[in-house]
Amino acid sequence: MRFLRRALRLLSLVVLAVLGTSLLMYVAPGYFSDAREMDAAHAGVARADLVSLQAQQSTLPRLLRSEIHGWLRGDLGTSRQYGTPVSSLIAERSALSAKLLLSGVALGWLAALLLTLPLGMQRSSVPEVFLVCGTALLLAVPAGLLATLCMVTGHGGPVLVLALLVGVRDIKLLQRMARTAWAAPYILHARAQGISTWRILGIHVLASLRHDLLALAVMSFTLALSALVPVEVIFDHPGLGQLAWSAAMNRDLPVLTVVTAIMAMCVGLASLSAETRRAGAASCA
Amino acid sequence: MRLTMLGLIALLLGVAGWRLCTAPQGYATQDRMQISAPVQAAHPAGTDELGRDRAVRLSLALLLGVGGACCASALASFCTLLVSSFASFGPPWISRTLLYLSDLFMTLPWIFLLMLVRSALPLSLPPLQSGLLTFLLLGLLGIPVFLRLHHSRASALAASGWMLHAHATGLTLAQRLRSLLPHLRPLLLAQFLLYVPACLAAEANLGALGLGLSEPLPSLGTFIANLQSAALQAPSALVYLPIAVLVLVLLALELSLFGAES
């Protein structure tokens, strides 16, 4: 019942987010304009299209009706800037963005886990100091700057940038979690009994951290999703982030509403899964 | 640690202010005979691809960036305090509505939301107005980020025994709100310190996307946006100077927070 309530709440938030985007774009300057008007060869056609668009979307209810009509038609409307069905644009680009996100998050997590889990059992704090200095420096570099530096120096790509952004933000939390887990009395007892470090790490430490790791994974995914737009725009990676930016700049409402719905749904589902897991863990306790 | 880092930031801002006041040319003055010039007496950090003094532009960008971020953070903190405090004393439906609206804004990834709202606003505004609009937007969009935390704290205080006693003894709403403030101050300070670097980074990201301050007003974001072309046209270490300053300021702010935590 609680899950159903949360799911309905998420759905209402997504619908409102889409409505809010439609309203924002409708009142934005330049909605009823077209770059082709500046080209004498195409200005006539562009103006005719705009007159037809204004007739269809002269008021906000009419605009929403034309959007819903596009969604019900199955192709999610037609893109104003590309003239193609939105569904085909989204399908192509979602695959690329999903691959980028998964690769970036997986690489970031791998690096963070490899760095922090062994450090958790170290007594010396010297390696930790180096790690803290490195992460502090990387945390001070915004996503757009990191992407630009990779472009300018010719080293690294969008996957590396996302991995660094995600990994650096997770390291601090993972470090604390690892230290607490390694300091648990039963782990100390296992080590005293001579059980191998890898066995302890794989079976006991990671198992005890699984709920926290899941919550952190959700947070990493949301962070990577947030950084998707500047990373894809700067690297000219033809994914959803670049499509969203291009749609916002060109007032391409059909594309923007769909991308907004996808982003809102992804973030909402991630939060819903984390809340459900937390509620489940709390009820078990 | 915190004082050292804040002192470093104050020093950088002081040097920037001094450079702005003593420079003979303005931030928009173009010297076409000195395009991409190296370090010299007249231009201690060289010139950019339009012959504008880099040190003057960087100084102004730093002052605008840090000043704007502080103002945006202060606005976000003040509005969050106001909204959460009033909501905690109001009927439950007000709290529920505000938290729902806050969740609505948090449903979208923050940079995506920022990009969406900023691109919907006029992009051809005069430079100063575009700057004011950018930082105003950052301030307003910071409210949902901290609202839930503030509201839970304010509600707990509003329901506490001493607050009920205050209400029973006849204190007005304004007096009760005023007595909340000292208890919310640590949270407000933490929010302010956390949000300033977030605003700086957000402005830099917006500039990289072409949604930052308009030319000829310099900003740390536009330096990032122009970095690719500047590095190709005049491969010199000086083109990275604004980037180094941005990273230094963000690092100092982050370490000042780390100092506060420890």
Side-chain angles (χ1 to χ4, degrees), chain B residues 8-87:
Chain B
L8 174 63
I9 295 170
L11 178 67
L12 283 171
L13 293 175
V15 167
W18 170 80
R19 179 65 196 154
L20 266 182
C21 294
T22 56
Q25 63 277 26
Y27 66 88
T29 309
Q30 295 178 15
D31 185 355
R32 295 301 179 100
M33 304 303 289
Q34 297 279 346
I35 286 177
S36 300
V39 174
Q40 49 190 268
H43 306 288
T47 58
D48 64 7
E49 60 278 2
L50 290 177
R52 299 175 295 193
D53 188 289
R54 191 176 279 118
V56 172
R57 289 182 65 75
L58 177 57
S59 304
L60 183 60
L62 184 64
L63 286 169
L64 278 175
V66 175
C70 289
C71 291
S73 188
L75 175 68
S77 305
F78 176 71
C79 292
T80 312
L81 170 71
L82 215 62
V83 167
S84 60
S85 304
F86 273 107

Side-chain angles (χ1 to χ4, degrees), chain B residues 21 31 39 53 57 91 103 105 117 150 178 186 192 204 209 213 216 226 245:
Chain B
C21 294
D31 185 355
V39 174
D53 188 289
R57 289 182 65 75
D103 286 345
F105 281 93
V117 178
H150 268 273
R178 211 161 49 232
F192 178 80
L209 292 172
L213 277 60
N226 296 333
V245 168

